[in-house]
Amino acid sequence: KGEVECLIKLFDTLVASSGSHFAAAGLDRNTFRDTLHRAFGMTDDTIMDRVFRIFDRDNDSCISVVEWVEGLSIFLRGTLEERIKYCFEVYDLNGDGYISREEIFQMLKNSLLKQPSEEDPDEGIKDLVDIAMKKMDYDHDGRLSFLDFEKAVRDENLLLEAFGPCLPDTK
């Protein structure tokens, strides 16, 4: 109860300080992204937008206090099962229930640092996509279903955030 009350107070403080015209309804995208950046060190625009979408369950472009508390509950304290589902939803960029090669490529391209010496950095990313597909695509259909992703993460927990950091550090 105490933690939920603290989350609600934090929410109210963030909404009040945002000065947004959404304030009556909740947190807007920019305030939420600023919070992800300041509190959790997130920098990847694609991932932050996806996290916003996952929190914003009713798709009204702002996060209500209930969405805030429920989202942070999974984000900060979720069971492995909840976190697998959350990460899968973040990585499924088009919401079709699968993580495609193109989606993996897009996320890795955004989250990996570019090395100035590389001739074609996209080649290295394509290699990583191939490795991920070999390791995770259990039914060999060329895309990752939720079942593929879940099995891969259960076999190797480090794969939970394989395509970009979308959870806070354990510290």
Side-chain angles (χ1 to χ4, degrees):
K1 182 180 177 207
E3 286 181 355
V4 171
E5 287 171 353
C6 284
L7 289 176
I8 292 170
K9 280 182 189 159
L10 177 59
F11 178 85
D12 290 340
T13 303
L14 289 168
V15 168
S17 69
S18 74
S20 165
H21 62 279
F22 279 112
L27 286 178
D28 67 352
R29 180 181 303 269
N30 289 336
T31 306
F32 183 75
R33 285 172 53 118
D34 288 347
T35 303
L36 288 177
H37 179 69
R38 279 197 324 273
F40 304 110
M42 287 193 176
T43 56
D44 185 319
D45 289 333
T46 303
I47 297 282
M48 288 192 291
D49 280 341
R50 293 297 304 155
V51 172
F52 179 84
R53 284 214 169 124
I54 303 309
F55 271 64
D56 182 21
R57 289 286 176 197
D58 62 3
N59 293 318
D60 66 351
S61 297
C62 75
I63 294 173
S64 70
V65 69
V66 172
E67 291 169 333
W68 170 256
V69 171
E70 289 174 350
L72 280 178
S73 169
I74 293 169
F75 192 71
L76 297 171
R77 297 228 172 180
T79 64
L80 180 61
E81 189 69 37
E82 290 170 326
R83 291 178 16 215
I84 290 171
K85 184 176 185 300
Y86 161 83
C87 289
F88 183 84
E89 288 178 354
V90 168
Y91 299 147
D92 179 12
L93 298 178
N94 64 4
D96 68 352
Y98 295 93
I99 302 172
S100 68
R101 288 178 162 278
E102 293 75 26
E103 288 167 323
I104 296 170
F105 179 86
Q106 198 57 51
M107 286 177 291
L108 290 177
K109 186 178 174 97
N110 291 337
S111 67
L112 294 174
L113 295 172
K114 307 287 185 283
Q115 297 299 322
S117 62
E118 286 187 58
E119 309 282 313
D120 181 7
D122 287 359
E123 281 307 310
I125 296 168
K126 287 176 186 163
D127 292 344
L128 287 174
V129 172
D130 289 341
I131 292 166
M133 293 304 285
K134 279 190 183 105
K135 178 108 180 115
M136 300 173 83
D137 184 16
Y138 288 95
D139 59 8
H140 307 292
D141 64 351
R143 60 190 184 172
L144 301 181
S145 65
F146 178 75
L147 291 174
D148 288 333
F149 186 76
E150 182 181 38
K151 180 167 177 22
V153 169
R154 288 191 184 281
D155 289 348
E156 178 52 70
N157 285 6
L158 289 174
L159 291 173
L160 183 63
E161 293 185 275
F163 310 127
C166 59
L167 286 166
D169 288 340
T170 49
K171 55 184 162 51

